[in-house]
Amino acid sequence: MPIPAPVLYPPFNVIRLSHITLAVTDLAASRAFYADMLGLQVTDETDGALYLRAMEERGHHCVVLEKADAGVARALSFKVFSEADLDKAKAYFDGENIRNHWVERPFQGRTLRAVDPLGMPVEFYFEMVRLPSIHQQYGLYHGVKPLRIDHFNCFSDDMEASVGFYNELGFRVTEYTESEDRTRNWAVWMHRKGGVHDLAFTSGAGPRLHHFAFWVPTPLNIIDLLDLMATTGYLSNIERGPGRHGISNAFFLYIRDPDGHRIEIYCSDYMTVDPDHEPIRWDLRDPQRQTLWGAPAPRSWFEEGSVFDGVAPRKPKLEASPIIAP
Ligand SMILES: [Fe+2]
């Protein structure tokens, strides 16, 4: 299936993904997982919410955890280039009949919440409380030494609709996997910030969050994390990896938080800022697509994900057969 031509002058300027808001059932368990074990820094804490940032980040938060009765995903958030881009976003969504409204978010300026055509809640803002740099305070580093949030990956039940919508917002395709008959796309990776992706889509019951990812300094930090998790009560939270992806060429590990939200630990993809950067095509039956070393992913990786709050997933339009570990 052809991928759409890039939109190099989009209606408003998204510069990167920024943060994720998740509902969790036990804030203390989540704090132990994200802060004490994984190594994120707590930037604010209330009875109902926990705000976290990674070591390179100057913005107040890259993860917001909110106490709730069920572990669901509540918003995927993106930073835009200026306040004026928020007004352009509002005008664009209004013109396209995309549901949107202004919302209040702690530690942020004006924030526009929209619902994409498949039902994913996305938020856009420019201003966030800025914090002092800590990237050279090595005494604070622990866990996997997370440097920054890197990307979101979501299940979509309609790949063409998802890719078409974000393509119009200026997200550019870097890699894609075609179905066996080469008529449809099974997965697509799209970026704004100049890496392999800010946002990726995988065919499946959707919309759902598949995972979000943190960039870490080296593959060795991932090995250290595995040793840590395996000996501190988190063995069953390890889902897939470590390995090197074919797609993105990144070194990876997938883990699950106490509510089952999937997190990828991610290291080293490549630069994609050229406006004429050529996307890379993969075949669904190529085992090196998932893992360059050939190991297939487990069934859970293809089937399980976090629902978005109040959004019922639909059956995917595309039924396909990725290689799954026996
Ligand atoms: Fe990923």
Side-chain angles (χ1 to χ4, degrees):
M1 173 93 190
I3 53 171
V7 175
L8 300 179
Y9 299 95
F12 59 99
N13 189 357
V14 175
I15 55 167
R16 61 175 174 86
L17 88 159
S18 167
H19 59 279
I20 190 164
T21 305
L22 298 171
V24 299
T25 54
D26 182 340
L27 274 178
S30 293
R31 192 186 204 286
F33 180 90
Y34 284 94
D36 302 341
M37 191 276 288
L38 209 53
L40 290 165
Q41 300 290 306
V42 175
T43 56
D44 196 71
E45 192 168 15
T46 67
D47 287 344
L50 191 61
Y51 291 78
L52 302 152
R53 73 159 159 165
M55 305 309 293
E56 277 186 1
E57 291 171 331
R58 302 291 295 275
H60 181 270
H61 47 267
C62 67
V63 176
V64 181
L65 303 176
E66 297 175 341
K67 172 88 173 74
D69 293 333
V72 295
R74 288 189 162 160
L76 307 180
S77 296
F78 298 87
K79 186 176 176 74
V80 297
F81 189 78
S82 69
E83 286 291 333
D85 284 293
L86 292 174
D87 298 313
K88 293 178 184 173
K90 175 88 176 123
Y92 176 77
F93 291 141
D94 286 346
E96 297 291 316
N97 291 317
I98 300 293
R99 279 189 288 152
N100 72 91
H101 64 287
W102 299 106
V103 290
E104 297 286 329
R105 295 287 179 253
F107 310 105
Q108 293 175 214
R110 290 194 305 158
T111 302
L112 185 65
R113 181 177 175 93
V115 178
D116 85 1
L118 279 81
M120 281 196 349
V122 287
E123 296 186 2
F124 302 89
Y125 76 96
F126 168 67
E127 185 187 344
M128 180 184 283
V129 167
R130 306 289 286 179
L131 298 176
S133 161
I134 53 169
H135 71 284
Q136 288 179 322
Q137 292 190 30
Y138 285 104
L140 296 176
Y141 281 70
H142 65 283
V144 77
K145 302 183 177 178
L147 296 182
R148 57 187 179 272
I149 194 168
D150 187 78
H151 61 263
F152 305 129
N153 189 316
C154 298
F155 283 118
S156 171
D157 57 295
D158 185 340
M159 186 60 57
E160 269 62 46
S162 289
V163 172
F165 178 76
Y166 290 95
N167 194 74
E168 290 301 312
L169 300 190
F171 287 75
R172 308 203 292 273
V173 176
T174 54
E175 305 206 23
Y176 61 104
T177 301
E178 284 188 326
S179 59
E180 293 113 312
D181 62 5
R182 302 188 65 163
T183 63
R184 310 281 289 274
N185 289 321
W186 186 79
V188 176
W189 285 255
M190 311 179 81
H191 83 96
R192 283 297 297 167
K193 66 179 181 297
V196 171
H197 53 325
D198 292 83
L199 183 59
F201 293 101
T202 301
S203 288
R208 288 178 300 159
L209 174 70
H210 188 279
H211 66 264
F212 64 106
F214 293 108
W215 184 288
V216 299
T218 72
L220 209 50
N221 300 106
I222 294 177
I223 306 298
D224 287 344
L225 180 71
L226 283 158
D227 287 336
L228 182 66
M229 292 182 71
T231 54
T232 56
Y234 291 108
L235 182 64
S236 63
N237 298 73
I238 299 169
E239 184 183 33
R240 175 187 168 198
R244 183 174 297 282
H245 283 308
I247 293 166
S248 81
N249 197 41
F251 200 87
F252 71 88
L253 172 70
Y254 293 93
I255 60 177
R256 308 290 286 269
D257 86 354
D259 288 279
H261 298 305
R262 184 181 290 106
I263 299 154
E264 182 179 16
I265 311 298
Y266 186 87
C267 180
S268 300
D269 62 21
Y270 56 89
M271 193 177 80
T272 61
V273 288
D274 288 1
D276 55 351
H277 186 83
E278 302 88 349
I280 296 172
R281 176 194 168 277
W282 292 83
D283 190 300
L284 186 64
R285 303 300 295 173
D286 182 350
Q288 289 192 288
R289 175 183 62 82
Q290 298 174 7
T291 307
L292 192 67
W293 309 331
R299 182 167 294 279
S300 63
W301 196 88
F302 291 101
E303 296 180 349
E304 296 175 9
S306 305
V307 299
F308 289 105
D309 207 350
V311 183
R314 296 170 297 264
K315 255 178 65 115
K317 278 189 170 180
L318 173 62
E319 296 288 351
S321 313
I323 299 169
I324 297 173

